[in-house]
Amino acid sequence: MKIVYCFILLFFLYSLYCLVSSFSKFKTITYYLENPKILKYVETPKPSWKNVQEDRQARVKKVCQKYGKLLSRPIILHEYVHSRKHKLLWCKNLKVGTTTWIDTTFAKISKTTSRRRIMRIFRTRIEDLRFLKDESYTSFSIVRHPFERLVSAYNDFSHLKKRGRRYQKMSFDQFARSIVKSAKRCWPSAKCLNPHFLPFSTACSYCDNDFTVISKMETYDEDRNDIL
């Protein structure tokens, strides 16, 4: 009889061991699922375009709050493109797909391929800037990773004679140093630079303007579809 009791006790202890082990394994699985190194391989839902925009707007406000008046810039009116009919107000930064916008969207709206005429048709007056606060309007600006923009400018300026011969024989290092040296003469605005090198904050003054959409070159097509 004692043997039977011993056998039952051993069976109970073994079952308890198996139960505890199973919980231990479950904990281990949970740990790995919460591990950042594992999570990066797990597909997560893509945030909506609206959420992306809210995140970009929040980052701009955070930077503006941090640096305050240091990032406040005077308005450069010729950088704005305004279509009253289509309720669009665009502050353009060069080397971020600007030519594509002019040659497609605004060329189609104006029914002309002449860039000079397009810019004349959509010329912005100082009083038009009030539409930045008009909820019926879509105001937008496009940015790009600064380093990628600099590389794009170098490739452009070092190959096209119309951009200036001084850049054609420069290495990228010399090109970058030349821009930094020029910017020091009119820092912090850097307004004296070629428009293709102007800092984003100088051209469009993000801390003074609340744009409806902040587009990025990396999400150019998606942003453009939602803007239009």
Side-chain angles (χ1 to χ4, degrees), residues 145-159 166-180 197:
H145 192 291
F147 187 74
E148 289 184 359
R149 185 185 182 215
L150 188 63
V151 172
S152 176
Y154 172 71
N155 289 333
D156 189 4
F157 275 64
S158 61
H159 290 89
R166 59 173 294 204
Y167 299 110
Q168 289 186 328
K169 294 183 179 181
M170 285 185 177
S171 64
F172 178 75
D173 181 69
Q174 292 171 328
F175 179 74
R177 289 178 183 275
S178 172
I179 293 175
V180 171
F197 314 143

Side-chain angles (χ1 to χ4, degrees), residues 139-215:
S139 59
F140 66 100
S141 184
I142 309 167
V143 295
R144 184 182 191 179
H145 192 291
F147 187 74
E148 289 184 359
R149 185 185 182 215
L150 188 63
V151 172
S152 176
Y154 172 71
N155 289 333
D156 189 4
F157 275 64
S158 61
H159 290 89
L160 298 178
K161 290 183 179 180
K162 65 179 181 179
R163 299 295 193 195
R165 293 182 179 180
R166 59 173 294 204
Y167 299 110
Q168 289 186 328
K169 294 183 179 181
M170 285 185 177
S171 64
F172 178 75
D173 181 69
Q174 292 171 328
F175 179 74
R177 289 178 183 275
S178 172
I179 293 175
V180 171
K181 185 178 179 180
S182 298
K184 286 181 178 179
R185 295 200 298 266
C186 54
W187 197 255
S189 72
K191 195 175 179 180
C192 60
L193 288 176
N194 182 295
H196 293 81
F197 314 143
L198 275 183
F200 295 137
S201 59
T202 298
C204 294
S205 194
Y206 293 92
C207 292
D208 300 314
N209 297 322
D210 291 324
F211 294 103
T212 311
V213 176
I214 297 176
S215 176

Side-chain angles (χ1 to χ4, degrees), residues 71-116:
L71 288 179
S72 182
R73 299 285 185 269
I75 294 293
I76 304 178
L77 202 58
H78 65 260
E79 297 295 359
Y80 290 80
V81 179
H82 175 225
S83 172
R84 183 185 293 269
K85 180 179 179 180
H86 297 84
K87 294 190 174 183
L88 291 174
L89 187 55
W90 169 36
C91 183
K92 55 185 174 65
N93 291 298
L94 301 188
K95 303 309 300 176
V96 292
T98 303
T99 301
T100 302
W101 265 95
I102 294 173
D103 289 350
T104 55
T105 304
F106 287 95
K108 183 178 180 180
I109 292 173
S110 60
K111 298 180 181 179
T112 179
T113 56
S114 169
R115 290 188 192 175
R116 183 172 294 182

Side-chain angles (χ1 to χ4, degrees), residues 15-27:
S15 299
L16 185 62
Y17 169 77
C18 291
L19 183 64
V20 171
S21 297
S22 65
F23 276 113
S24 177
K25 289 179 182 178
F26 178 76
K27 183 178 179 181

Side-chain angles (χ1 to χ4, degrees), residues 39-87:
L39 281 176
K40 68 180 181 180
Y41 296 106
V42 179
E43 186 175 349
T44 55
K46 184 180 178 181
S48 68
W49 185 80
K50 183 180 178 181
N51 289 338
V52 170
Q53 284 301 314
E54 289 174 348
D55 180 62
R56 291 176 186 175
Q57 299 281 3
R59 272 184 281 174
V60 169
K61 288 181 179 178
K62 185 177 180 180
V63 172
C64 291
Q65 288 173 354
K66 181 178 180 179
Y67 294 100
K69 293 183 178 180
L70 290 175
L71 288 179
S72 182
R73 299 285 185 269
I75 294 293
I76 304 178
L77 202 58
H78 65 260
E79 297 295 359
Y80 290 80
V81 179
H82 175 225
S83 172
R84 183 185 293 269
K85 180 179 179 180
H86 297 84
K87 294 190 174 183

